[in-house]
Amino acid sequence: MRLRALLDTDALGLRLLGGEDELDRTVRGVMTTDLRDPSRYLSGGELVLTGLAWRRDADDSEPFVRILQSAGVAALAAGEAELGDVPDDLVRACARHRLPLFAVNESVAFATITEHVVRQVSGERAGDLAAVVDRHRRLMTSGPTGGGPDVVLDLLGSDLDLRAWVLSPAGRAVAGSSAAGPELPADVCARLAGEHLAATRTGRRAPHRVTVDGTTYSLFPVRSGARGAAPASRDVRETVLSDWLLAVEADAGDWPEERLDLLQGVTQLISVERDRRDAARTVRRRLAQEVLELVQTGAAPAEIAARLRVAAPVLLPGLGAAPHWQVVVARVEWAGGDIEGGPVAQSLLEEILVDPLSPGPEPSDRIAVAHTGDEAIALVPLPAVSSEHDGSEQGLIADSLLGSVREPLAAGLADDGRLTIGVSAAVHSAEGLRGALEEARHARRVAAARSGLVCAAGHQELASHVLLLPFVPDDVRRAFTARLLDPLRDYDRKHRAELIPTLEAFLDCDGSWTRCASRLHLHVNTLRYRVGRIEQLTNRDLSRLEDKLDFFLALRMS
């Protein structure tokens, strides 16, 4: 805005005392100060408001005005509440340095002037930014020259002083403005994503305002425009776990409609990039679908290997040797079963399989994910292992896969959804791919047997027969455990004999009388008496491996 516009606003109570020839100067901000040297807080273009508390005598005006002129401020406005009329020495000093000077009527608060200037300057900046954003939108929709979401976020930082980041639903930082400073910590990203997903599931109107570690953020959904029906006509569960979000470090609660509309335009622009990225994944998804169809239909290993050779350079360009592969299976299930979970599981795998600390979408371009029904299947290529390794310890580990994303995804699943994931071992040939797929599916079923909204299991866990227990029907488990353990529980209730704890310790000590007696702080003869009572009540022999195994399984299933 121009200085001249301030005089045209009667409510501001400003009276020009000097500098009429400079009224076309541009005001870029406003600052109130009573410091004798406020230079470190000035960046140029400000309207400086002062109550003159810095002035002790006439000699103070010259150095004060000289500091303002050197800093490049637009004008000085002095209040009349402290000294009455503005001192002549200040008027003369401003005239010497060609600094426009206004008197502020004592009935007008500095806050009124500040609010007016900020509103006008922000509105003009928003208009300029809107024009730039519109130009950028046209560039992006007509070709790849726009520069992606980072450019848009840079505009928010430079033109509106807003720090902003684009986050995936799993809490990965997809993009951030260069003006945003240090990257958001991973735990903050996860909390913001979780808050956004929880608010979306409860139907709260965006933007969602949250405070994390004392900082307020406003969260805007970035909805894809290339997924069929309009968002209003779709169940929120179809998109909640796949849409990005824009996190802005500001409280949008008191923003004018114009600024909110601008941010909505920014999210639409970012969604163009999201749609372009999804379109670029089409080739990788098709490759995964073709390979998996060959695997599941029992195609010859040579044919599968040929497909893998086509996929390898697409997923790992420049790789000299054929990679190893892992298979990851994910399933999203909603209560009622009326929503297909496969597309959501596909989008989630494409995000989860990227290191959350790795910014940008590029790392996920090395993952091929197909989906069918409620299930998504990922082919994850691994660099060829050296001769010192067999590949079994390479690649993804189920335990750590969901560590940083479990909290936000659980918020999106709420109380009617579930995500389960299974991870295979690495294989180095087409012959091993079918087994890897079955292994990953079996691991996912193990994960599904556990409690929790977000669960994963890996191939390492399938080596234990204990993992087979969840697949025993509930009625069979109840009958088996009741037949073996109920007589012991009844005896313990009546006699406080602690037969169940004794049995657990005896099996845990591999049947060693000495170690078990030491653990329970018993004499060996007392331990022998208790074990004898267990055998008598159950008609079993704890010296036999079969009976030991039955007791072990019964305790685990109970």
Side-chain angles (χ1 to χ4, degrees), residues 246 269 456:
L246 175 66
L269 186 56

Side-chain angles (χ1 to χ4, degrees), residues 170 190 398-399 401-413 452-456:
D399 289 340
L401 192 60
L402 298 177
S404 61
V405 301
R406 181 174 277 108
E407 180 181 348
L409 294 184
L413 292 162
L453 298 179
V454 181
C455 298

Side-chain angles (χ1 to χ4, degrees), residues 187-537:
D187 62 324
V188 175
C189 291
R191 290 181 62 183
L192 291 177
E195 292 282 356
H196 172 74
L197 292 175
T200 301
R201 285 305 312 273
T202 55
R204 282 164 47 195
R205 184 179 178 182
H208 311 128
R209 291 174 290 154
V210 299
T211 300
V212 177
D213 297 336
T215 301
T216 300
Y217 299 87
S218 296
L219 310 177
F220 297 80
V222 178
R223 296 190 173 95
S224 173
R227 298 181 192 172
S233 65
R234 305 186 67 184
D235 191 308
V236 67
R237 293 175 295 178
E238 295 182 63
T239 59
V240 66
L241 294 176
S242 55
D243 285 338
W244 287 350
L245 66 135
L246 175 66
V248 181
E249 190 181 292
D251 187 343
D254 56 355
W255 281 5
E257 287 297 323
E258 295 80 7
R259 178 170 285 203
L260 288 173
D261 289 344
L262 174 62
L263 265 294
Q264 293 297 340
V266 170
T267 63
Q268 293 170 9
L269 186 56
I270 295 171
S271 74
V272 173
E273 175 63 21
R274 173 66 190 269
D275 292 340
R276 176 175 286 119
R277 191 199 67 160
D278 284 346
R281 285 180 169 177
T282 301
V283 173
R284 294 186 298 279
R285 289 171 173 174
R286 186 179 298 120
L287 283 171
Q289 195 71 48
E290 291 175 354
V291 172
L292 291 170
E293 286 177 0
L294 290 174
V295 170
Q296 294 183 96
T297 56
E303 187 177 359
I304 300 174
R307 293 288 186 182
L308 289 178
R309 283 194 295 272
V310 172
V314 174
L315 298 176
L316 290 176
L319 188 67
H324 288 64
W325 300 87
Q326 268 184 293
V327 176
V328 181
V329 172
R331 193 176 183 90
V332 172
E333 297 171 290
W334 300 105
D338 55 338
I339 297 175
E340 188 179 46
V344 176
Q346 181 182 48
S347 295
L348 279 180
L349 273 188
E350 289 173 336
E351 294 293 347
I352 292 172
L353 296 178
V354 179
D355 184 349
L357 299 180
S358 177
E362 291 78 10
S364 61
D365 290 347
R366 295 185 173 184
I367 300 161
V369 185
H371 79 82
T372 175
D374 291 331
E375 184 182 69
I377 304 170
L379 287 175
V380 182
L382 306 173
V385 295
S386 67
S387 59
E388 299 177 0
H389 299 82
D390 60 5
S392 59
E393 297 181 359
Q394 270 211 336
L396 304 168
I397 306 297
D399 289 340
S400 58
L401 192 60
L402 298 177
S404 61
V405 301
R406 181 174 277 108
E407 180 181 348
L409 294 184
L413 292 162
D415 58 355
D416 60 349
R418 196 145 190 261
L419 168 67
T420 51
I421 291 178
V423 182
S424 79
V427 295
H428 64 277
S429 67
E431 290 89 343
L433 206 54
R434 182 177 179 84
L437 175 59
E438 292 304 316
E439 189 175 56
R441 281 177 167 160
H442 186 61
R444 192 209 62 78
R445 289 193 291 270
V446 170
R450 296 171 174 166
S451 60
L453 298 179
V454 181
C455 298
H459 64 93
Q460 303 93 336
E461 302 172 73
L462 302 183
S464 172
H465 62 275
V466 178
L467 270 297
L468 300 175
L469 298 183
F471 305 104
V472 178
D474 289 342
D475 55 343
V476 175
R477 283 202 277 174
R478 283 192 294 269
F480 182 74
T481 57
R483 187 166 58 251
L484 278 177
L485 301 183
D486 280 2
L488 306 183
R489 293 185 178 122
D490 292 341
Y491 192 87
D492 280 346
R493 278 194 297 270
K494 294 176 181 178
H495 303 284
R496 298 182 180 180
E498 298 188 356
L499 296 184
I500 292 290
T502 300
L503 175 61
E504 291 175 333
F506 186 72
L507 295 175
D508 196 43
C509 292
D510 298 324
S512 169
W513 298 98
T514 304
R515 282 195 290 128
C516 184
S518 176
R519 174 180 294 189
L520 296 175
H521 305 290
L522 298 175
H523 192 278
V524 172
N525 289 339
T526 303
L527 175 61
R528 291 184 184 277
Y529 171 81
R530 289 187 181 180
V531 170
R533 179 63 66 186
I534 291 171
E535 293 174 333
Q536 180 184 10
L537 291 170

Side-chain angles (χ1 to χ4, degrees), residues 26-78:
T26 299
V27 180
R28 296 187 176 88
V30 62
M31 191 194 81
T32 299
T33 184
D34 276 314
L35 296 173
R36 304 186 73 179
D37 182 3
S39 57
R40 56 184 166 176
Y41 303 109
L42 298 170
S43 58
E46 296 92 348
L47 170 66
V48 175
L49 305 175
T50 181
L52 300 176
W54 50 268
R55 182 183 179 278
R56 298 171 185 170
D57 55 46
D59 293 336
D60 291 334
S61 294
E62 172 65 24
F64 181 79
V65 173
R66 187 188 313 117
I67 290 171
L68 299 187
Q69 190 273 335
S70 298
V73 303
L76 174 65

